[in-house]
Amino acid sequence: MSTPTPQPARITVLISGSGSNLGALISACNTPALPRARITHVISDRKDAYGLTRAADASIKTTYHGIVPYKKKYPDHAGKSDFHDARRAYDADLANLVIAGTPDIVVCAGFMRILTPSFLDPVKAQAIPIINLHPSKPGDLIGAGCIQRAWDEFEANKRTETGIMIHYVVEEVDMGEPIVHETISIQGCTSLSDLETRIHEREHSLIVKGTNSALQKLSKHGKA
Ligand SMILES: Nc1nc2c(c(=O)[nH]1)N[C@@H](CN(C=O)c1ccc(C(=O)N[C@@H](CCC(=O)O)C(=O)O)cc1)CN2
Ligand SMILES: NCC(=O)N[C@@H]1O[C@H](COP(=O)([O-])[O-])[C@@H](O)[C@H]1O
């Protein structure tokens, strides 16, 4: 009896912006860099994210999942500044959206929302790993705006390098186990834009390498 051909790994990608890293993943699918893989769903929290266009142009299912209806349904109470209830309801519905697509893995590629346990727990219960691209070395800069902060510290002679990493997503933001990471020298950059270009160029190969590494780990455990 012949061995059945393994089905391609199903990838869901979360985005918020241009989607150049999504584009790198789309181009890499079913090449030696990312074999037997296909992106089956792209979800954005921003309606104007150009990444949605990149996905549609590649005939990939897209969903816009915005926060505004949740903020309207759960108005802030007692001055809760970061709208806990709205965020939890948003994340619970995002988890349902993701799970319905039966992915083998979720990749955050410039997804600019902090994910709460209302998302993390249901997805983890389905044994779906979540990984994230972050423009910093492990344990260095945390959160949004890290490229700007690295540039500001370089200009203040407080650092000469930064980095990029792909890491597993856990509740503590940007503190999940690194999968792959690279150090990037800032020396020679003459502007923030220079540094952003240098970082983006290196991210596009790292996100493919990190996604493939996470999928290989899954297949070793017979999950993908
Ligand atoms: N629980 C986790 N959620 C997310 C992680 C993570 O590691 N754990 N990684 C991020 C991506 N990310 C950095 O890599 C990141 C993105 C956004 C923010 C943030 O402060 N977002 C604000 C909203 C900002 C905005 O609307 O412009 C917020 O959510 O209040 C921090 C880190 C993906 N999520
Ligand atoms: N904290 C997360 C974060 O800052 N992510 C950053 O968002 C950009 C997405 O670019 P893209 O939309 O062109 O792929 C990337 O530079 C990535 O490092």
Side-chain angles (χ1 to χ4, degrees):
M1 183 185 297
S2 62
T3 310
T5 308
Q7 289 302 306
R10 297 167 60 86
I11 304 170
T12 288
V13 182
L14 306 185
I15 63 167
S16 296
S18 164
S20 68
N21 286 280
L22 166 66
L25 286 169
I26 291 171
S27 301
C29 280
N30 289 325
T31 71
L34 191 54
R36 292 184 309 285
R38 70 188 179 104
I39 298 170
T40 49
H41 199 182
V42 172
I43 302 172
S44 174
D45 66 322
R46 311 274 176 91
K47 198 171 193 174
D48 60 354
Y50 184 67
L52 290 172
T53 301
R54 294 182 199 261
D57 288 350
S59 304
I60 296 169
K61 178 182 178 180
T62 62
T63 302
Y64 161 56
H65 183 55
I67 187 70
V68 171
Y70 297 86
K71 284 188 173 181
K72 285 179 179 172
K73 186 174 179 183
Y74 302 93
D76 283 359
H77 295 296
K80 283 181 187 170
S81 59
D82 60 352
F83 48 94
H84 289 295
D85 295 341
R87 192 184 280 268
R88 272 198 294 265
Y90 174 91
D91 278 4
D93 286 351
L94 178 61
N96 290 333
L97 260 176
V98 164
I99 292 166
T102 62
D104 295 299
I105 192 168
V106 176
V107 182
C108 295
F111 185 66
M112 299 309 286
R113 303 202 62 76
I114 296 173
L115 294 162
T116 68
S118 297
F119 175 83
L120 300 172
D121 293 350
V123 174
K124 187 177 177 183
Q126 299 292 321
I128 301 169
I130 308 162
I131 67 175
N132 176 60
L133 165 67
H134 183 55
S136 168
K137 291 186 286 185
D140 186 12
L141 297 165
I142 304 295
C146 290
I147 301 175
Q148 176 74 63
R149 280 159 42 208
W151 175 250
D152 292 343
E153 291 181 9
F154 173 71
E155 287 208 299
N157 296 314
K158 292 181 179 174
R159 71 166 62 227
T160 58
E161 62 184 33
T162 184
I164 52 176
M165 68 169 166
I166 306 295
H167 65 93
Y168 287 103
V169 170
V170 295
E171 187 174 356
E172 194 179 1
V173 175
D174 298 332
M175 295 305 287
E177 177 195 350
I179 300 167
V180 288
H181 59 90
E182 281 184 27
T183 298
I184 294 180
S185 173
I186 307 175
Q187 288 175 321
C189 289
T190 56
S191 66
L192 170 61
S193 174
D194 253 9
L195 177 58
E196 285 171 339
T197 300
R198 183 176 291 185
I199 284 176
H200 290 329
E201 283 167 355
R202 301 274 287 277
E203 285 181 328
H204 295 163
S205 54
L206 195 78
I207 195 166
V208 172
K209 185 179 174 187
T211 301
N212 189 48
S213 175
L215 285 173
Q216 295 306 316
K217 190 173 174 183
L218 269 181
S219 58
K220 284 192 183 106
H221 299 282
K223 289 180 184 169

